[in-house]
């Protein structure tokens, strides 16, 4: 790669879009550079799957340039290569869910959010790898294999949006979509030193069969910086008539400035979210984040909402959602248990065995937790806490079995710092929070993510706080060792 090409790889989505719309960069030029990066690094991390052949991607990019020359097209993602998470439909690409029987399940049309991203000018070139059915936060499956962490190839990239996070961290993509039930945007972002934003419930159109009760999952944006995540959110969000929880507000406000006065912020800080086991090096980085906000002039206090019972609610409602998946699999692949991983079978079976009392009890408990949190956020604008309780773990370990000597009962208990926040239906972002001490892993250590949570509906406030932290620290500018010292210009 030339120095100019390397610079393009690390430019922000906003910069690239401006250059394409101004005519100083063509979509074809950007596509060629993106494919150079993909061909060089994707074999190492296995982030993008079912990749469009290079010549086909370049043909689409050239057609986009020709349309622009005629005064057609444009949009905030104009000309940007995009790989869609392999849980979402993109026309003419398989939606495999990382499940071998779905290897040839080619989508006949775009899903709602994919269509919005295409309409904004993005060029879909493939899919990003996921754990089987998107379950668990270690991206591996029997169809495509495992996605490696770019900061240490022997460790996991997290999940379920692990392919997206790894593609961003290695400069293969500038922005990526993801989805989050119990941390699937936040956890891989933390592990790969990028940004993952879980929006308020209903901000982005729903994408599953269950639209009301037991709703935990949402699509959201990922990027290398907060501004680009907000840009993608501006495209993804907005009212959708077919989503019963859809919010009426348009997404335009997220595409503008994220400036705010830190002296107006009231910040709560909890390094363990009310007593969860958290590795000491993660706690240290979260507490350092509190100091950063205090130095900026924010009011910072040790405080945490009452989340007693939230993990039990999450487990029950997650299982209920997976029962719907089980019924779908029974129709489509009657012997699906032959192919599925053990944890997926266990979780689906758990959902199918839920009683009416369990479901009603979880809904009542979730409502009370929501109300308690609403009162908490009357006092505080944002809450700082870990985005993952551990640092990236060995890729051969399916899930974290213990933290600080405390055993984890199930394959998702180690993610409780994200799962419990999910129950609030609140906006939450993982932003690069620093690294563990150097030595033993990578020259800089392993990435740690800071989770910033706000009141439901206060997505912009969370993005503004995250942008302040990003500007003050610059942690996201530290690139993985495998990019081989590629220069990384500052992103807007």
């Amino acid at each position: 790669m030339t120095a100019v090409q390397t610079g393009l790889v690390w430019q922000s989505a906003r910069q690239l879009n401006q250059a394409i719309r101004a005519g100083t960069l063509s979509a074809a030029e950007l596509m060629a550079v993106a494919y150079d990066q993909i061909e060089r690094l994707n074999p190492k991390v296995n982030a993008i799957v079912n990749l469009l052949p290079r010549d086909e991607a370049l043909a689409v990019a050239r057609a986009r340039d020709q349309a622009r020359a005629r005064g057609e097209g444009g949009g905030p993602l104009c000309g940007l290569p995009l790989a869609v998470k392999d849980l979402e439909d993109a026309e003419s690409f398989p939606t495999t869910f990382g499940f071998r029987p779905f290897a040839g399940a080619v989508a006949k049309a775009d899903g709602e959010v994919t269509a919005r991203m295409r309409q904004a000018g993005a060029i879909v070139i493939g899919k990003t790898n996921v754990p089987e059915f998107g379950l668990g936060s270690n991206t591996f499956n029997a169809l495509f294999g495992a996605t490696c962490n770019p900061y240490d190839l022997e460790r996991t990239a997290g999940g379920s949006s692990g392919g997206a996070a790894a593609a961003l961290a290695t400069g293969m993509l500038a922005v990526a979509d993801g989805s989050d039930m119990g941390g699937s945007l936040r956890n891989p972002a933390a592990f790969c030193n990028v940004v993952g934003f879980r929006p308020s419930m209903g901000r982005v159109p729903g994408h599953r069969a269950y639209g009301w009760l037991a709703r935990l999952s949402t699509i959201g944006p990922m990027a290398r910086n907060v501004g680009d995540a907000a840009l993608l959110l501006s495209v993804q969000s907005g009212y959708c008539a077919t989503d019963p929880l859809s919010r009426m507000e348009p997404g335009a406000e997220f595409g503008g400035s994220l400036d705010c006065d830190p002296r107006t912020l009231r910040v709560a800080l909890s390094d363990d979210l009310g007593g969860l086991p958290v590795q000491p090096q993660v706690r240290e980085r979260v507490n350092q984040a509190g100091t950063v906000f205090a130095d900026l002039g924010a009011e910072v206090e040790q405080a945490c909402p009452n989340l007693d019972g939230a993990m039990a609610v999450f487990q029950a409602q997650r299982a209920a959602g997976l029962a719907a998946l089980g019924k779908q699999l029974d129709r489509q692949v009657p012997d699906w248990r032959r192919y599925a991983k053990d944890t997926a079978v266990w979780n689906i079976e758990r959902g199918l065995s839920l009683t009416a009392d369990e479901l009603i009890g979880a809904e009542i408990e979730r409502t009370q937790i929501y109300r308690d949190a609403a009162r908490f956020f009357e006092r505080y604008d944002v809450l700082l806490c870990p985005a993952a309780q551990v640092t990236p773990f060995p890729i051969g370990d399916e899930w974290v079995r213990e933290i600080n000597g405390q055993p984890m009962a199930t394959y998702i208990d180690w993610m409780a710092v994200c799962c419990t926040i999910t129950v609030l239906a609140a906006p939450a972002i993982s932003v690069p929070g620093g690294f563990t001490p150097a030595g033993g892993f990578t020259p800089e250590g392993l990435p740690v993510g800071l989770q910033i949570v706000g009141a439901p509906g206060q997505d912009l406030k969370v993005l503004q706080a995250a942008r302040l932290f990003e500007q003050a620290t610059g942690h996201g500018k530290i690139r993985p060792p495998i990019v081989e010292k590629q220069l990384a210009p500052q992103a807007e």
Side-chain angles (χ1 to χ4, degrees):
M1 272 191 175
T2 66
V4 171
Q5 291 172 325
T6 298
L8 284 177
V9 165
W10 299 110
Q11 281 188 10
S12 72
R14 294 186 184 225
Q15 290 171 326
L16 293 170
N17 179 252
Q18 289 169 1
I20 288 174
R21 297 176 74 175
T24 59
L25 173 68
S26 71
E29 289 170 330
L30 177 59
M31 187 65 71
V33 171
Y35 265 74
D36 287 346
Q37 192 78 342
I38 291 168
E39 289 165 0
R40 192 167 71 89
L41 294 180
N42 199 49
K44 297 181 180 181
V45 296
N46 191 34
I48 300 177
V49 299
N50 281 325
L51 180 68
L52 198 67
R54 183 186 183 108
D55 58 347
E56 293 183 31
L58 287 171
V60 175
R62 285 192 289 268
R64 185 63 48 82
D65 288 329
Q66 291 165 1
R68 268 201 62 262
R70 297 191 300 267
E72 304 169 6
L77 303 181
C78 181
L80 298 187
L82 180 74
V84 176
K85 186 174 180 178
D86 201 16
L87 303 182
E88 314 304 329
D89 285 343
E91 184 180 358
S92 78
F93 290 89
T95 306
T96 76
F97 288 77
F99 186 50
R100 281 183 294 168
F102 289 169
V106 176
K108 296 180 180 179
D110 286 339
E112 173 66 27
V113 176
T114 304
R116 292 183 180 196
M117 294 186 294
R118 277 205 215 252
Q119 189 174 20
I123 301 174
V124 178
I125 61 170
K127 307 299 283 289
T128 53
N129 202 21
V130 297
E132 188 178 85
F133 303 123
L135 301 179
S137 194
N138 183 351
T139 294
F140 72 94
N141 58 66
L143 182 57
F144 297 115
T147 297
C148 303
N149 191 306
Y151 289 86
D152 184 336
L153 297 177
E154 299 299 318
R155 294 176 182 269
T156 180
S160 61
S161 307
L168 291 166
T170 50
M172 292 190 279
L173 301 173
V175 291
D177 69 299
S179 56
D180 186 307
M181 180 182 285
S184 288
L185 282 158
R186 294 163 286 167
N187 183 278
F191 279 10
C192 294
N193 202 45
V194 297
V195 176
F197 182 59
R198 175 190 169 89
S200 295
M201 189 58 68
R203 177 74 67 193
V204 177
H207 63 312
R208 292 290 180 265
Y210 36 95
W212 263 291
L213 299 181
R215 179 140 163 209
L216 299 170
S217 185
T218 178
I219 294 175
M222 302 184 80
R224 284 192 297 271
N225 63 76
V226 177
D228 282 354
L231 177 70
L232 183 54
L233 180 64
S234 73
V235 171
Q236 295 175 328
S237 60
Y239 179 70
C240 178
T242 58
D243 180 354
L245 297 185
S246 185
R247 303 180 70 93
M248 296 298 297
E249 306 95 338
E253 67 174 346
F254 303 117
S257 171
L258 298 178
D259 292 342
C260 77
D261 185 348
R263 295 169 298 180
T264 66
L265 284 180
R266 301 165 299 172
V267 177
L269 172 67
S270 176
D271 63 9
D272 63 3
L273 206 58
L276 297 174
V278 178
Q279 286 181 344
Q281 57 267 51
V282 175
R283 284 178 179 265
E284 183 179 353
R285 295 298 173 266
V286 173
N287 286 311
Q288 286 176 349
T291 301
V292 169
F293 276 98
D295 289 345
L296 289 171
E299 174 189 339
V300 181
E301 296 178 358
Q302 293 281 342
C304 182
N306 180 9
L307 295 170
D308 293 346
M311 193 59 185
V313 168
F314 177 84
Q315 289 272 27
Q317 294 196 332
R318 174 190 173 93
L322 293 180
L325 171 62
K327 290 182 180 296
Q328 175 188 342
L329 290 172
D330 284 340
R331 294 191 301 270
Q332 296 178 323
V333 188
D335 60 344
W336 62 269
R337 290 171 181 81
R338 282 182 50 205
Y339 304 97
K341 61 184 181 180
D342 291 343
T343 48
V345 174
W346 168 79
N347 219 166
I348 292 170
E349 297 285 8
R350 169 74 180 115
L352 293 170
S353 68
L354 283 170
T355 67
D357 283 347
E358 287 178 296
L359 289 171
I360 294 169
E363 193 64 29
I364 292 170
E365 182 71 14
R366 185 178 184 182
T367 301
Q368 186 57 54
I369 292 168
Y370 181 96
R371 289 171 177 165
D372 289 346
R375 287 189 284 270
F376 176 86
F377 283 112
E378 289 175 359
R379 172 68 184 88
Y380 301 102
D381 294 305
V382 293
L383 165 69
L384 311 182
C385 60
Q389 292 161 241
V390 299
T391 54
F393 54 90
I395 202 164
D397 296 345
E398 184 174 349
W399 49 280
V400 176
R401 308 282 173 157
E402 61 85 23
I403 302 175
N404 299 342
Q406 180 173 327
M408 301 290 104
T410 75
Y411 79 110
I412 52 176
D413 281 87
W414 70 272
M415 299 166 58
V417 76
C418 285
C419 299
T420 52
I421 294 299
T422 290
V423 171
L424 306 181
I429 195 168
S430 177
V431 64
F435 288 78
T436 61
F441 301 118
T442 68
E444 298 83 11
L446 290 171
V448 174
L450 174 69
Q451 186 174 193
I452 304 176
V453 186
Q458 295 298 312
D459 302 56
L460 184 59
K461 181 70 71 176
V462 170
L463 289 164
Q464 289 172 331
R467 177 65 170 149
L468 283 171
F469 181 77
E470 175 183 76
Q471 289 177 311
T473 61
H475 296 314
K477 297 176 183 176
I478 298 176
R479 306 297 180 208
I482 62 169
V483 303
E484 299 171 354
K485 299 182 180 180
Q486 287 181 311
L487 297 176
Q490 293 185 6
E492 294 297 327

